[in-house]
Amino acid sequence: MSFSAAPSSMSPGTLYVVATPIGNLDDISARALKVLAEVSLIAAEDTRHSARLMQHFGIATPLAACHEHNERAEGSRFIARLQAGENVALISDAGTPLISDPGYHLVRQARAAGIAVVPVPGACALIAALSAAGLPSDRFIFEGFLPAKAVGRRARLEQVREEPRTLIFYEAPHRILESLEDMRAVFGEERPALLARELSKAFETLKGLPLGELCAWVAADSNQQRGECVVLVAGWQAPEGEDAVSAEALRVLDLLLAELPLKRAAALAAEITGVRKNLLYQVALERQQ
Ligand code: SAM
């Protein structure tokens, strides 16, 4: 495989989306280092931050800012260089670009311009946390950062209260306690959860407890309110008796599913049978899979 940086008038360059470490610098891949060393330009969320990383690895490739404030307006500069045949790498301050980080607009612009976009996979906090959490990992949803204000945060949590898949949130350390307390209020004391803090760093901590106990544990130790963190919460489980949808309700649902989009079928089946719409929606999803 070649990552030639030489401009060519014949074909456009490639935009490499390169993951960088989330803590431990040894987590960068050999391929990431090769790409970063060989491209013409690195589009970085914070050039000063990334300059230190590049210096650490002895990489002298020029850096240019690509952050949430200039990404849309300045994207065309990067696109022009790609179209002129240069290869460009996109990185963020830590982990995988676009995952609660800038890069979405540049990737979209590049793809719309017919430029090849190649991922160079690596660290990602949500995946690292999920891989070690011991919560169901076959299906999960990533909610990113919750709204900073309590009203918005509670409303967002309410929307996913009956979500059956494992829930994953990013949170800032100064809000971790209030967010956990809101989760406890919305999801209940007993819902299993896990706090993954400072992954791959010196004070790495993974603590799995029911939400009620997890809140108390974090409240009692201010060290747990420092550093970077991911919160995982087990998905909703239907209380006893609700998980069995009657054969008649299933028959109605199946008939409607054959004729209508899933959401509409679930809503109509709920009206006809009196079974909760959310429950029928989940059942419909499973039946279509
Ligand atoms: N792009 C990154 C990724 O791939 O994970 C995420 C960037 S987002 C701006 C930063 C958030 O990711 C932090 O607030 C925290 O929730 C999570 N995070 C990043 N590094 C982490 C680490 N080492 N341990 C735990 N959480 C981390």
Side-chain angles (χ1 to χ4, degrees):
M1 196 185 316
S2 161
F3 303 113
S4 166
S8 139
S9 56
M10 299 300 290
S11 57
T14 295
L15 176 64
Y16 293 96
V17 183
V18 181
T20 56
I22 55 169
N24 189 325
L25 296 186
D26 287 347
D27 288 341
I28 199 155
S29 74
R31 181 171 172 228
L33 291 176
K34 188 167 162 54
V35 170
L36 292 171
E38 293 188 4
V39 292
S40 305
L41 182 70
I42 299 172
E45 181 181 4
D46 177 340
T47 52
R48 277 199 303 181
H49 174 96
S50 295
R52 290 194 291 275
L53 187 73
M54 295 309 127
Q55 201 175 11
H56 176 86
F57 290 113
I59 291 171
T61 308
L63 294 156
C66 178
H67 45 67
E68 58 176 330
H69 304 296
N70 77 348
E71 195 188 334
R72 268 182 238 226
E74 297 286 306
S76 51
R77 264 192 326 130
F78 296 110
I79 300 295
R81 293 189 64 166
L82 285 156
Q83 278 171 331
E86 291 184 295
N87 293 326
V88 174
L90 169 68
I91 62 173
S92 62
D93 286 355
T96 302
L98 280 79
I99 306 301
S100 295
D101 265 343
Y104 168 71
H105 298 289
L106 181 58
V107 167
R108 266 187 81 89
Q109 284 181 38
R111 292 187 67 85
I115 289 159
V117 182
V118 172
V120 180
C124 179
L126 77 104
I127 298 298
L130 182 65
S131 72
L135 290 170
S137 52
D138 50 345
R139 297 198 299 153
F140 60 89
I141 63 163
F142 174 53
E143 281 288 311
F145 287 96
L146 286 164
K149 295 202 176 122
V151 175
R153 187 165 58 231
R154 288 256 184 149
R156 178 78 61 81
L157 290 171
E158 285 291 350
Q159 282 170 9
V160 290
R161 194 166 62 86
E162 293 192 359
E163 167 58 58
R165 295 167 291 184
T166 297
L167 296 141
I168 307 179
F169 303 92
Y170 281 169
E171 193 47 283
H174 60 278
R175 274 197 291 270
I176 187 64
L177 189 54
E178 46 185 304
S179 279
L180 283 173
E181 275 165 0
D182 282 348
M183 289 178 195
R184 166 169 64 178
V186 174
F187 300 141
E189 301 271 329
E190 299 306 324
R191 186 86 75 96
L194 181 130
L195 174 66
R197 221 174 49 78
E198 295 288 87
L199 291 166
S200 80
K201 304 187 203 177
F203 296 103
E204 179 178 83
T205 309
L206 288 97
K207 188 76 172 174
L209 285 171
L211 273 170
E213 288 175 49
L214 189 59
C215 280
W217 183 76
V218 171
D221 180 359
S222 60
N223 284 328
Q224 305 308 331
Q225 299 163 40
R226 298 206 177 105
E228 301 195 275
C229 48
V230 184
V231 179
L232 294 92
V233 179
W236 177 78
Q237 279 195 324
E240 286 284 307
E242 268 194 43
D243 49 354
V245 176
S246 73
E248 178 58 15
L250 283 179
R251 197 181 68 79
V252 172
L253 181 63
D254 283 346
L255 282 172
L256 292 169
L257 275 174
E259 302 294 331
L260 296 169
L262 187 145
K263 210 170 163 184
R264 185 82 194 111
L268 264 183
E271 271 190 48
I272 296 167
T273 63
V275 177
R276 283 184 319 105
K277 190 166 71 180
N278 275 355
L279 184 56
L280 283 177
Y281 182 76
Q282 292 307 328
V283 172
L285 273 179
E286 277 163 25
R287 290 173 93 71
Q288 285 213 331
Q289 277 162 15

